[in-house]
């Protein structure tokens, strides 16, 4: 049971009564974008970055967003204040609205949903010993937009559980792109690299790119380069900086968490 | 205003009150499959084929469908009888259900929605003079499953309207696959060809493959082969057999509807 409120097209409604019409374009055609972030002690860190990306995703999918960034920020802060959950998550979804023909974007307006739920981070063993990835040939559509299309990773979620892997690594014909819900980095000879194009620009990735004193080269590289790296790690809002010590059957470096990864993790946590 | 009923997880509910929770996996992760077909004078032709495909799509996405084909057929027929619309459409959607973690398929059960709406075929000029296609490099994910992911074609719907094209042609690095909501055929030296793999097997396509006295070769071919064909046509439940006389800037054959296309269209209509 969840007694919290959801923001739904201008109104606060109880979560248990938060529904969309079956004619909504998200249900009819999977047409929606979203963003997701955490709230710690009532404060959503990096809210501005997440709202920027939400606005960018909407524009890329031609979805009308009749709210300024300031108004969106106020909606999020009001919802957090109203629910008063200490540690929670916010998911903002913008859909194509109630389509007149079950195909085109609604002329009557898009649908904005903001969901606020309790969220406590659970740290699996990966954080201590490093995790593994399983790879998959897949290029996300409209990669710069955070669309709701996660068919590939949901379909593979059982495989993730069976292999105890931390994430699915997406390769576009051997070019390293990103993981299903994280960005990827590698370290070779003390230099940090992260793919440059056809990816979703993560908020934690951006923070690493801006770390003082750290040079990160944004450039595309191939799977063989990744497997030959000294260290690999992935980043996301919920995972933070997560060391990767194995990809499919290949051990990365000496199979232990590397010193550069450790230093970056500490810099991001501080 | 639509006063008809929808079938929603075992109950008939008024269409205007047909809603899914915002935690449904269709809204959270675009995770759902569907099928769509027409009802003429109260009868759904080829229902068996559509139900077979619906069941196949569900299996490909690992979605539990706790109904036999016979029960699904009875649900559809009951809904048609209850609503009593002379000419209508049926859309069946099966989603991952109300997800416990907004990511994995619900253990409490998938969501089945069957929507029945009035539907009258409107025949644009394409049926008389042939239509055009605009091409796009795109390979659908899980192509044999009819998933709800239509992000590409919804995003391009404005371009379709502007160019007055009938459909978007999907090419996988120059291999001809299918259109966004139709299958494609071409005719060269009186022989009919249609792509073999990485496509959705359409019900109208199947009927053409079974036409007595017509040899259709299922084989993959490239865009240059398609552009050099004598005739091109596309098929779908709503479009039937639709002649194509132009692809992007290239006129097909002599730019008129060909004799083989005409014969197939008549055979399918009869």
């Amino acid at each position: 049971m969840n007694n919290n409120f959801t923001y739904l097209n201008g109104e606060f409604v109880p979560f248990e009564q938060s529904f969309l019409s079956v004619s909504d374009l998200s249900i009819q055609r999977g047409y929606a974008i979203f963003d997701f972030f955490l709230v710690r002690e009532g404060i959503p860190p990096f809210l501005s970055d997440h709202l920027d990306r939400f606005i960018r995703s909407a524009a890329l999918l031609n979805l009308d967003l009749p709210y300024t960034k300031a108004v969106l920020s106020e909606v999020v802060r009001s919802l957090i204040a109203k629910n008063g959950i200490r540690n929670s998550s916010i998911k903002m979804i913008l859909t194509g609205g109630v389509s007149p023909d079950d195909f085109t974007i609604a002329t009557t307006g898009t649908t904005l949903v903001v969901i606020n739920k309790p969220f406590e981070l659970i740290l699996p063993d990966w954080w201590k010993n490093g995790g593994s990835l399983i790879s998959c040939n897949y290029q996300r559509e409209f990669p710069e937009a955070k669309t709701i299309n996660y068919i590939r990773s949901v379909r593979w979620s059982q495989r993730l559980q069976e292999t105890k892997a931390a994430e699915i690594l997406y390769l576009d014909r051997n070019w390293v792109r990103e993981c299903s819900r994280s960005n990827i980095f590698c370290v070779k000879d003390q230099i940090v690299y992260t793919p440059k194009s056809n990816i979703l620009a993560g908020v934690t990735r951006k923070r690493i790119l801006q770390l003082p004193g750290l040079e990160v080269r944004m450039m595309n590289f191939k799977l063989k380069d990744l497997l030959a790296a000294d260290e690999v790690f992935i980043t996301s809002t919920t995972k933070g900086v997560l060391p990767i010590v194995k990809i499919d059957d290949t051990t990365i470096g000496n199979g232990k968490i590397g010193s550069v990864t450790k230093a970056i993790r500490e810099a991001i946590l501080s």
Side-chain angles (χ1 to χ4, degrees), chain A:
Chain A
M1 190 67 186
N2 179 336
N3 293 313
N4 299 301
F5 285 86
T6 298
Y7 179 90
L8 181 52
N9 277 343
E11 287 179 61
F12 292 101
V13 296
F15 175 77
E16 301 288 342
Q17 294 162 34
S18 302
F19 294 103
L20 300 190
S21 159
V22 294
S23 292
D24 192 275
L25 212 52
S26 57
I27 300 166
Q28 289 286 333
R29 301 290 173 178
Y31 205 84
I33 57 100
F34 76 105
D35 223 292
F36 177 85
F37 46 90
L38 302 182
V39 182
R40 288 289 161 259
E41 313 288 341
I43 293 166
F46 317 108
L47 175 61
S48 175
D49 286 331
H50 286 284
L51 293 179
D52 284 343
R53 187 169 67 181
F54 189 70
I55 292 166
R56 201 159 61 236
S57 294
L60 284 166
L61 257 68
N62 207 22
L63 287 170
D64 187 38
L65 183 55
Y67 301 81
T68 61
K69 185 177 171 185
V71 172
L72 285 175
S73 176
E74 189 47 41
V75 165
V76 169
R77 289 180 195 283
S78 303
L79 185 65
I80 291 170
K82 191 171 178 72
N83 286 333
I85 316 167
R86 207 164 148 223
N87 292 323
S88 67
S89 67
I90 292 276
K91 183 176 258 188
M92 309 176 67
I93 307 175
L94 184 72
T95 84
V98 176
S99 175
D101 56 3
D102 299 336
F103 187 70
T104 48
I105 295 169
T107 49
T108 50
T110 52
T111 299
L112 176 64
V113 191
V114 188
I115 303 166
N116 182 213
K117 282 183 174 181
F119 189 97
E120 292 292 341
L121 266 184
I122 300 161
L123 304 182
D125 282 346
W126 306 323
W127 266 264
K128 275 187 289 184
N129 305 318
S132 64
L133 304 178
I134 52 177
S135 73
C136 168
N137 184 45
Y138 179 55
Q139 171 61 60
R140 282 175 53 246
E141 291 174 65
F142 298 99
E144 292 86 7
K146 198 166 173 69
T147 74
I148 61 166
N149 177 14
Y150 280 66
I151 293 182
R152 178 65 55 113
S153 53
V154 173
R155 184 68 185 82
W156 274 42
S157 59
Q158 204 181 338
R159 207 174 305 196
L160 268 184
Q161 285 166 15
E162 283 164 8
T163 58
K164 297 190 171 63
E167 255 282 27
I168 304 165
L169 171 64
Y170 290 153
L171 305 167
D172 183 12
R173 284 162 278 161
N174 284 320
W175 287 100
V176 173
R177 295 294 184 225
E178 59 195 335
C179 291
S180 73
R181 297 188 280 177
S182 327
N183 288 116
I184 190 158
F185 291 75
C186 69
V187 184
K188 183 77 181 172
D189 300 329
Q190 304 293 311
I191 299 170
V192 181
Y193 300 87
T194 193
K196 185 178 184 177
S197 49
N198 293 333
I199 58 162
L200 186 78
V203 170
T204 307
R205 176 179 178 272
K206 182 182 168 188
R207 291 170 62 205
I208 290 174
L209 290 171
Q210 292 172 343
L211 277 180
L214 182 74
E215 190 199 340
V216 184
R217 298 194 186 159
M218 275 196 289
M219 56 177 277
N220 296 326
F221 50 85
K222 293 203 163 186
L223 177 61
K224 64 175 167 47
D225 305 315
L226 187 68
L227 297 180
D230 301 324
E231 304 177 28
V232 172
F233 61 90
I234 61 175
T235 62
S236 82
T237 291
T238 50
K239 296 183 187 72
V241 174
L242 178 67
I244 296 298
V245 294
K246 197 177 163 201
I247 299 175
D248 297 325
D249 294 326
T250 304
T251 299
I252 303 301
N254 62 4
K256 305 216 180 302
I257 300 176
S259 58
V260 178
T261 303
K262 273 185 197 159
I264 292 173
R265 184 153 65 158
E266 276 161 31
I268 286 294
L269 282 176
S270 67

